[in-house]
Amino acid sequence: MENVFVFDHPLIQHKISLMRDKNTTTKEFRELVSEVSMLMAYEVTRDLPLEEIEIETPVAKAKTRVLAGKKLALIPILRAGLGMVDGMLNLLPMAKVGHIGLYRDPKTLEPVEYYCKLPEDATERDVVILDPMLATGGSASAAVTFLKQKGITNIRFMCLIAAPEGIERLHRDHPDVPIFCAAKDQKLNDHAYIVPGLGDAGDRLFGTR
Ligand code: PRP
Ligand code: URA
């Protein structure tokens, strides 16, 4: 399928395996989410445009390249997306951060929006939506729809673990949005949890269960 990038870098795979382990502590889990996010930031930003500038090194004048034009906004989906922000900001300190609050209704499994605060100039930025889990794809798709309604056009979606069902749904609803993930898992179970997955990402990040 087009527009889906699964990162098979050994460091990323190693850390994802540690995250999956149910014996990994909240502290370790949080650190791993942050580390994997930082490693993924490197690839997610691979196609950012560059422009040439002239600078002076201690030795000579030089033409050299820096990031051009539009800047980035990181938009974590609350709560679990929060765990990915610090790692991304380590590599992208110039990015602004917006927040979208969505939770999955446990009965309908449909996303419910409860919060939104975006950078003022979000429409002029390249946006990366952050959420560790792409399960049914309902939350991701709703977040993209919401951002598009606000006039944001350049959107990519970054998660740690994706189910085939979520990839298909997000791709069907928003074929223009590239999906970046560290692992594509087998399927969803009857409760729409990813199998084998890593459990409830929000609970594991914040120690709420
Ligand atoms: C999780 C996860 C995603 C969503 C994915 O959040 O962080 O946002 O589920 O599921 P979907 O693809 O089927 O929509 P959850 O609703 O558990 O909220 P939380 O982050 O507050 O724990
Ligand atoms: N949300 C999670 O946190 N984990 C899943 O497996 C599915 C949705």
Side-chain angles (χ1 to χ4, degrees), residues 104 133 135 192-194 199-202:
R104 265 193 342 179
M133 309 305 276
Y193 271 79
I194 300 175
D200 188 304

Side-chain angles (χ1 to χ4, degrees), residues 77-80 102-104 131 133-139 200 202:
I77 300 180
L78 305 179
R79 299 175 287 171
L102 293 174
Y103 69 88
R104 265 193 342 179
D131 194 327
M133 309 305 276
L134 180 63
T136 64
S139 306
D200 188 304

Side-chain angles (χ1 to χ4, degrees), residues 101-147:
L102 293 174
Y103 69 88
R104 265 193 342 179
D105 184 295
K107 289 208 178 76
T108 64
L109 299 177
E110 284 302 311
V112 181
E113 187 211 319
Y114 62 90
Y115 185 78
C116 178
K117 182 83 181 167
L118 303 177
E120 257 180 22
D121 59 354
T123 53
E124 293 154 34
R125 291 176 175 261
D126 286 347
V127 163
V128 187
I129 299 178
L130 305 175
D131 194 327
M133 309 305 276
L134 180 63
T136 64
S139 306
S141 181
V144 173
T145 301
F146 190 68
L147 294 181

Side-chain angles (χ1 to χ4, degrees), residues 41-115:
Y42 186 71
E43 278 299 324
V44 169
T45 53
R46 175 174 282 284
D47 65 345
L48 290 185
L50 294 169
E51 66 186 358
E52 199 171 72
I53 59 164
E54 191 170 280
I55 52 140
E56 224 171 321
T57 78
V59 179
K61 281 192 174 159
K63 287 198 187 337
T64 186
R65 293 185 300 165
V66 293
L67 290 174
K70 294 205 286 184
K71 299 283 189 285
L72 284 171
L74 308 177
I75 309 208
I77 300 180
L78 305 179
R79 299 175 287 171
L82 282 178
M84 300 169 75
V85 174
D86 278 359
M88 294 287 284
L89 285 177
N90 279 341
L91 220 57
L92 305 164
M94 72 296 188
K96 288 196 177 167
V97 182
H99 297 86
I100 296 183
L102 293 174
Y103 69 88
R104 265 193 342 179
D105 184 295
K107 289 208 178 76
T108 64
L109 299 177
E110 284 302 311
V112 181
E113 187 211 319
Y114 62 90
Y115 185 78

